[in-house]
Amino acid sequence: MSRILLAWELGGSYGHVATLRSVARELRARGHDCLFAVRDLRSAEEYLPELGPLLQGPRPPERSRSPVKVQASYASLLHNTGFDDPVELAGRLRAWQELLRTLRVDAMLANHAPVALLAARALGLPRAQFGASFCVPPVTAPFPSFLPEASVRDAVLRHNEAKVLQALNQALDRLRQAPLDGLQQIFEGCHSRIFGYRELDTYDPALREAGIHLGLPDNSHGDIPRWPSHPGPRVFCYLRASQQLQALMQALQASRLNLLVRITDLPPEKLQPFERPGLAITGQSVDIRQAAESCDAMIHNSPDGTTTEMLLAGKPGLLVPLDMEKSLLAWRSQQLGAALVSGDTDPQRIGGLLEQLVEDDTLRRNAQAFSARYRGQDRSAVLPAYVDDVLASL
């Protein structure tokens, strides 16, 4: 029996804790003790408390000292999450190392946790990383561009990495630890797996090692979707508060659609003005897999798990991405011809997209084609196989 820390450091969706929960269940079934160091205690409290001690993990600063407006690669992401401040970064790295020492863990599994991986590396702890493709960058030098439709010169990517590496090495120097030769060493010797599919990889799948894509585990959680008794196509909306939300809710209210709406970070009473017959707003977690299977289409911000469940169910989507990761995944879904992507704030134009979403047979056929490719996969086998594999590697 081993003591294994599951660490989550970056990102803000429920998908992170859902994945931690699923992996922890498999580890516990094999007799291992699980501990959690997480970014967000609220979402962790909903998913994790019965599986092991739950701790607040060292968090990056809320704002970078000098954020870059357009993230070009994983190096830019690191820059914007505190790798531009050697003193803060040294403190965070020290805190992760002290946490690992104090907990006396035997290994660490990381979900979007680069500083935790650095800490485990410095202590010589066995470590692994898992999760969505965006969280597991290809270990190429330089890291590949986040901008698939723009031409970012290799020299620009290398220049960005050099600046971030300089700050990281200054942090390591404060801790009297050896410098790194490149940012890719954060992941050196780290067992890495992606819970997803090649077609939806936010990076070029040609850069990946064979077998890294495992498919999406069944992370089912939440209530059975309760649809309004109303005519019209069923559309499930899973959204967060954003500058587009007001216009989107106005368009939904004016539509003929039969809607079930879940806004994760707003109480339902704030959305009551938009309710109508056939538009139900819920404050409870909804089982995304069941929602995808029982709807005709989906509208969401393109988080990894939700997007993948949508396509595995063969349903088209209207995607409203809010950050770089979700923009990349939305772009992949659009390239498959199975989704519309919008950041529009005009209710009338959004209304036109809603009609296209439920009437465009091409969108539906392309989503169904994705579903058909993976219909034979036993998703219940993904996690047991992964945990056996990762334990053998540690």
Side-chain angles (χ1 to χ4, degrees), residues 32 38 67 114 137 140 148 162 194 201 240 262 281 333 355:
H32 300 286
V38 300
T140 61
I194 294 167
D201 197 320
R240 302 192 71 169
R262 164 76 168 137
I281 296 169
S333 304
E355 282 298 312

Side-chain angles (χ1 to χ4, degrees), residues 28-43:
R28 283 169 58 89
R30 289 157 176 76
H32 300 286
D33 288 336
C34 294
L35 306 90
F36 301 92
V38 300
R39 174 183 175 83
D40 176 45
L41 289 172
R42 189 186 189 285
S43 58

